[in-house]
């Protein structure tokens, strides 16, 4: 039992044959398969003149899931109500339209909508129809597919994709219409099934009748009405609805409207009380001055008429002035060793004077060009004499795209073994200075046609590749010079804890960048959302 896609469509779109399983499952084992399938269709369609005809992977996935669930309903009917119903239906059709005409329609269907063995010319149609699959005659299996083909063609929500399973030729060349009428007569006399106690054909049609023009509407009907029948399919159905919501979302709106804020009901038993440590005496009195370190050093150089590039070269007079103004804390932005890849990405995008982002951190050590740890210790001691405490950033959710962790611990990051979108390509410059690892940004980022969500990390020795997600806090675009840490890994959590403690030993004040990424619920909502949460 395979998702019915005509031979004509398979030949036209050159779908990957591995998408067509033999075990009764629909073609889409995951969302990536649906995206590849949709891309094949869109490559052949004129989307410049008719963009509304674009195939959407979420709809393709939803359409396939509906078909698979209808197969499930038929299987449950066999198991729970009438194990021999298809054999009886076959006998009824043989009487109603004649055995010769019944065989002709089964042959035509199998030729036009071939199973894999027939499509590959491993069997001819007659051989296939004479055989068995999993203890069921292939004639009965074909009859089930024919029923679901008719259900799909009668579903208005699938009209955009009808060319994949169009039954027009079958209706013109055979007694297809008479078969459907005869099947209706047969199933009206069979035991009912489902929450509404319908005959089987009416039950199969009920999602399309309830929501004729909406694939998500039909999935929602199935969720509400058939939940007790779905089992493991409920999880997949909820995630399919999420995918549809994601693709329908307004990506770049006008900025108007209200952004919904999640509300967590602590009465449901998920109470996590705050655990603040007691304030030290100085904490409520902190008055913090923020300085972009490199900008401030440049300003100081101009003000004092000498080259000031290191932290230990910051004049005492500048610290005295901050103290006179009443500042008790100095937040130096951009102290840590930065990613070289970050600067190169900006330069490749047309900004030759750009330096690396302060938040694309290579590793948590004071940058060498700022004088390193010794220069920092000198500044900290002098600031402390003036009751000025130093503050630093700590970025908990990501590291630089070329950081040692990306090179040495790739399992610490959220990744896939394939690009999440089939249009992605990674042919640009190698951003890695490590000889054992190649790092490539997604090509469309450079021409600003896509804010890609992953980058390619490739082992130089084996060529093995994985695609690491860029850092993202859920508020804007991915940061394409970073890699997203996977907090489900206890090794990552421990490494971050030790990093925080190491920073805290040097800085009495820490500013967590995107601090919400340290909370379980935000992290789950962004990276591992519960099915059905949208």
């Amino acid at each position: 039992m395979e998702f019915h896609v005509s031979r004509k469509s398979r030949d036209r779109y050159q779908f990957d044959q591995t998408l067509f399983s033999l075990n009764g499952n629909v073609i889409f084992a995951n969302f990536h398969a649906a995206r590849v399938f949709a891309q094949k269709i869109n490559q052949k369609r004129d989307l410049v003149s008719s963009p509304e005809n674009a195939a959407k992977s979420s709809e393709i996935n939803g359409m396939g899931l509906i078909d698979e669930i209808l197969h499930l309903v038929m299987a449950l009917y066999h198991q729970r109500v009438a194990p021999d119903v298809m054999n009886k239906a076959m006998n009824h059709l043989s009487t109603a339209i004649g055995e010769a005409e019944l065989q002709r329609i089964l042959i035509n269907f199998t030729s036009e909508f071939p199973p894999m063995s027939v499509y590959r010319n491993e069997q001819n149609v007659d051989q296939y129809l004479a055989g068995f699959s999993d203890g069921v005659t292939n004639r009965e299996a074909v009859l089930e597919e024919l029923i679901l083909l008719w259900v799909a063609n009668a579903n208005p929500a699938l009209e955009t994709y009808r060319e994949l399973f169009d039954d027009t030729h079958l209706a013109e060349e055979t007694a297809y219409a008479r078969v459907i009428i005869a099947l209706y007569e047969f199933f009206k006399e069979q035991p009912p099934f489902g929450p509404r106690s319908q005959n089987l054909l009416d039950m199969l049609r009920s999602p399309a009748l309830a929501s004729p023009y909406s694939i998500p509407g039909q999935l929602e009907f199935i969720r509400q009405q058939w939940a007790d029948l779905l089992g493991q399919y409920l999880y997949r159905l909820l995630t399919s609805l999420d995918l549809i919501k994601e693709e329908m979302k307004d990506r770049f709106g006008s900025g108007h409207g209200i952004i919904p804020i999640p509300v967590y009901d602590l009465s449901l038993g998920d109470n996590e009380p705050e655990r603040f440590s007691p304030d030290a005496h100085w904490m409520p009195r902190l008055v913090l001055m923020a300085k972009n370190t490199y900008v401030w050093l440049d300003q100081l150089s101009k003000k004092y008429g000498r080259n000031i590039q290191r932290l230990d070269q910051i004049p005492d007079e500048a610290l005295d002035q901050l103290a006179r103004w009443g500042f008790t804390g100095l937040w130096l932005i951009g102290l840590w060793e930065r990613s070289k890849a970050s600067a190169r990405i900006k330069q490749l995008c047309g900004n030759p004077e750009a330096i690396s982002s302060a938040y694309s951190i290579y590793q948590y050590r004071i940058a060498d060009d700022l004088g390193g740890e010794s220069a920092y210790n000198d500044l900290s001691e002098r600031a402390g004499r003036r009751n000025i405490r130093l503050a630093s950033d700590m970025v908990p959710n990501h590291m630089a795209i070329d950081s040692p962790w990306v090179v040495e611990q790739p399992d610490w990051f959220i990744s896939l073994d394939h690009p999440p979108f089939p249009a992605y390509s990674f042919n640009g410059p190698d951003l890695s200075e490590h000889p054992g690892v190649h790092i490539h940004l997604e090509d469309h980022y450079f021409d600003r046609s896509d804010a890609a969500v992953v980058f390619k990390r490739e082992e130089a020795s084996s060529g093995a590749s994985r695609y690491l997600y860029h850092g993202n806090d859920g508020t804007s675009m991915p940061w394409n010079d970073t890699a997203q840490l996977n907090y489900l890994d206890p090794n990552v959590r421990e490494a971050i804890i030790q990093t925080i403690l190491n920073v805290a030993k040097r800085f009495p004040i820490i500013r967590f960048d995107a601090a919400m990424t340290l909370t379980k619920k935000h992290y789950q909502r962004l990276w591992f959302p519960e099915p059905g949460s949208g």
Side-chain angles (χ1 to χ4, degrees), residues 361 364 393-399 405 483-487 492 496 500 511-519 523:
I361 295 175
Y364 282 90
D393 286 289
M394 196 282 161
V395 186
N397 69 315
H398 61 68
M399 292 297 292
W405 286 7
Q484 175 66 46
L485 289 162
N486 182 4
Y487 270 107
V492 172
I496 291 296
I500 292 172
R511 180 260 181 182
F512 286 103
D513 182 71
M516 67 282 197
T517 59
L518 283 171
T519 65
Y523 191 82

Side-chain angles (χ1 to χ4, degrees), residues 15 68 115 126 130 142 170 209 215 235 255 282 284 350 362 386 389 391-392 408 476 507 518 531:
F15 295 122
E68 190 171 355
D126 291 334
V142 168
L170 198 64
L209 294 175
I215 291 175
Y235 175 93
W282 59 269
Y362 182 79
R386 295 162 174 82
R389 292 173 170 84
S392 171
E408 300 163 8
S476 60
F507 292 90
L518 283 171

Side-chain angles (χ1 to χ4, degrees), residues 332-348:
L332 294 172
I333 301 169
L335 285 176
W336 304 116
E337 193 71 37
R338 303 186 187 193
S339 160
K340 293 181 179 178
S342 175
R344 192 171 178 210
I345 290 170
K346 296 178 182 181
Q347 291 159 8
L348 289 168

Side-chain angles (χ1 to χ4, degrees), residues 131-187:
F132 289 77
S133 298
D134 297 327
V136 177
T137 71
N138 286 340
R139 278 166 53 94
E140 292 176 22
V142 168
L143 181 60
E144 178 172 325
E145 284 297 325
L146 186 144
I147 291 172
L148 293 184
L149 177 76
W150 171 74
V151 171
N153 277 271
N155 188 342
L158 310 187
E159 184 62 32
T160 301
Y161 307 100
R162 185 172 178 180
E163 64 169 316
L164 300 175
F165 45 81
D166 190 356
D167 62 358
T168 302
H169 185 262
L170 198 64
E172 293 172 347
E173 297 294 324
T174 69
Y176 176 61
R178 290 173 56 200
V179 166
I180 300 303
I181 293 171
L183 285 170
Y184 247 117
E185 293 172 350
F186 169 76
F187 278 106

Side-chain angles (χ1 to χ4, degrees), residues 65 72 88 94 99 125 136 147 150 156 160 191 193 224 234 330 356 514 516:
L65 184 59
L72 171 69
K88 290 181 177 179
S94 181
E99 179 60 29
V125 172
V136 177
I147 291 172
W150 171 74
T160 301
F193 187 54
Q224 294 181 11
L234 181 58
L330 175 59
S356 301
M516 67 282 197

Side-chain angles (χ1 to χ4, degrees), residues 410-441:
D411 291 337
W412 287 9
F413 299 86
I414 296 180
S415 66
L416 297 172
D417 60 3
H418 58 267
F421 298 98
Y424 277 6
S425 59
F426 302 85
N427 302 312
D430 185 1
L431 300 174
S432 172
E433 293 191 345
H434 191 283
V437 171
H438 304 307
I439 292 173
H440 296 275
L441 212 60

